[in-house]
Amino acid sequence: MEIINIALPKGRLGEKVYARFKKAGYPCPSIEEENRKLIFENLTAGVRYFWVKPSDVAIYVERGAADIGVAGRDILLEYSPDVYELADLGLGKCLMCVAAKKDFRDNLDRTLRVATKFPHIASRHYSTLSREIDIIKLNGSIEIAPILGLSDVIVDIVETGKTLLENDLEPRETILPISARLIANKVSYKFKHDEIVRLCEKVR
Ligand code: PRP
C-alpha cells in the first residue's frame, strides 16, 4: 500500500481536520502525544501527517512534498496554487469581510486605504466595484490598522466576530464565505489515485 503524505494546517483548524481524518479510519496515535514533533506516521493506516503553517499547506501540496492537504478557501483564492480541489470539508467556516471603525464614512473621491493579509482577494473585490484602493499588506493583527490610522478599512477573516467587537470595529461587507478544502497534488492524484480517492470519500 502506498503511504499518503498529508499536510495539516497547524492550529485550531488542524486539530479539527485531524479529528475528521481519525474518525474516517486514518488515526495516528503519535500525533496525539504532547510534543513538538512535526511529522508523524502510521504505516498500518498508510498515512504520514505533517503540521505546517496554514498558509504554507498549498505550497507543500503544489510542489508534491505532500500528496494532499487541507487549506482554507481564503488561501486557495489568494495564492491560486496549481492543485486539485477534491472536497469542501465544511470545517473552519468563516467569512472574508470588509470591516471599519464604527465612525468611518467612506469618501468616494479619495483612495481607500485597505489593510489585509489577502491583497489579491481585496484587489479583486474592489476592482469589481471600480473602487480605487491602496493596499497595505500586513501579516497579522490586522484589526489594529484602522485604530492607529494606518488604514481606512481592513479585509480579513471573521469567525465569531469577537476580535472586531473587542477592537471597536464593525463588519461592513461580506466578500466571500470560507471553509476548509481538501486539496491534492496533480501528479500524486494520478499515481496514488485509488488511495487518495478512498481517503477523500471517507473524510468528506
Ligand atoms: C484571525 C483573523 C481575525 C480573527 C477572527 O486571526 O485574522 O483576526 O482570527 O476571529 P474571530 O472573528 O473569531 O474573532 P488569527 O487568529 O489567524 O491571527 P492573526 O491574523 O492576527 O495572525
Side-chain angles (χ1 to χ4, degrees), residues 6 8 18 21 26 28 31 38-40 47-51:
I6 307 170
L8 294 179
Y18 169 69
F21 278 64
Y26 300 91
C28 187
I31 209 172
L38 297 170
I39 303 185
F40 307 87
V47 285
R48 181 180 297 117
Y49 290 107
F50 30 97
W51 293 122

Side-chain angles (χ1 to χ4, degrees), residues 112-123:
L112 186 71
R113 295 170 307 152
V114 182
T116 186
K117 277 194 277 191
F118 305 97
H120 289 112
I121 293 176
S123 299

